[in-house]
Amino acid sequence: MTPFSARDVSFFRSACLAATLLCAAALPARAAEEDAPKGPAVTVLKAAKSCFNNIVEVSGIIIARDETAVRPERPGLKVAEVMADAGDTVTAGQTLARLTLPEGGSVQVAAPVAGLIASSTATIGALASARGEALFTIIARNEYDLVGLVPTQDVTRLAANQTADVRIPGAGYIEGKVRRVAPTVQPDSQLGQAFISLTTNRRLLVNSYGRALIKTGQSCGVTVPLTAVLYSNGGTVVQVVRRQRVETKRVEVGLLSGSDIEIREGLAEGDVVVARAGAILREGDAVRPIMASAEAK
């Protein structure tokens, strides 16, 4: 056998040392792979802070705030000419009809206030008097009220001059303002009455339906998507991911804003939350979290 030279021995030792170091470096990575959870991929996001408007909803009907009846001042007159009709917008002092006197001559009937003519009985040849049926009824200054019923817990949050966004089918959105809140509630239903003033140039239909959203305050805190909240017999929970495992946390929810919900207790800003909570995930389950993109949120 040919003896190894000193150079061969040195090379052999170097090769063994390199192989040993390579194996040692691979061991932690292999151990980490073995220890890593092999669970399903789940979409997660970080709980963030946001502000929610405290909203009271009032639904009811539209009524005229002030209706003015228009009649002649004396009896025994006949309608000779009609110059305005229901649905017309008139100004104060505008001539609405011409009436003839029994002894001859004529008088004019004028609008005492500006507004919208809600109804009219004036027809040519009809009799008119101070005590008879009104020739015209005018919604003074085009002012309306949305009158609605509010649960007792919300009545105390309402106050005069609070602004309201009012939606009326056929008329769209109109700005309103709380004009008056009844000081009592109905004993049988425990509902209180609220009057929301509406002033608009649009023609509103009296007795039509309307819905008002009244901002009574604001609350700022931790927020998550509504899909991240799970309602169960044990309470309201959110599934949090820590060290790639699921933790179930009970929370107290608050206000809603679109697709987000306020978390008042049980969650901190920055907690990693399962975007879509579900019964398929349980406490301690291993998962592979995938952070949701900004566009997805």
Side-chain angles (χ1 to χ4, degrees), residues 56-212:
V56 170
E57 181 176 330
V58 178
S59 297
I61 62 170
I62 308 299
I63 66 170
R65 186 184 310 169
D66 182 14
E67 288 189 327
T68 301
V70 182
R71 299 181 178 87
E73 296 181 354
R74 53 182 296 180
L77 305 179
K78 279 189 178 182
V79 178
E81 184 179 4
V82 179
M83 303 176 184
D85 205 349
D88 292 346
T89 299
V90 297
T91 58
Q94 179 176 332
T95 301
L96 304 179
R98 183 173 61 84
L99 310 179
T100 57
L101 302 168
E103 65 272 17
S106 64
V107 295
Q108 294 181 337
V109 174
V113 294
L116 177 74
I117 298 179
S119 62
S120 172
T121 63
T123 57
I124 294 176
L127 293 176
S129 68
R131 294 186 179 181
E133 190 175 12
L135 291 175
F136 303 92
T137 302
I138 299 175
I139 300 174
R141 299 169 296 280
N142 281 17
E143 293 177 340
Y144 301 84
D145 279 339
L146 170 64
V147 182
L149 296 176
V150 189
T152 304
Q153 65 267 23
D154 291 333
V155 170
T156 55
R157 293 159 54 192
L158 296 181
N161 297 320
Q162 289 172 334
T163 58
D165 291 328
V166 182
R167 185 181 185 280
I168 301 172
Y173 286 93
I174 298 174
E175 290 186 0
K177 185 178 291 187
V178 177
R179 185 170 68 84
R180 181 167 66 88
V181 181
T184 60
V185 296
Q186 298 176 359
D188 53 346
S189 64
Q190 289 297 294
L191 297 174
Q193 201 170 43
F195 294 78
I196 300 166
S197 66
L198 308 172
T199 302
T200 177
N201 292 327
R202 305 178 198 176
R203 183 180 178 185
L204 302 182
L205 298 177
V206 174
N207 296 326
S208 61
Y209 169 84
R211 183 170 69 98

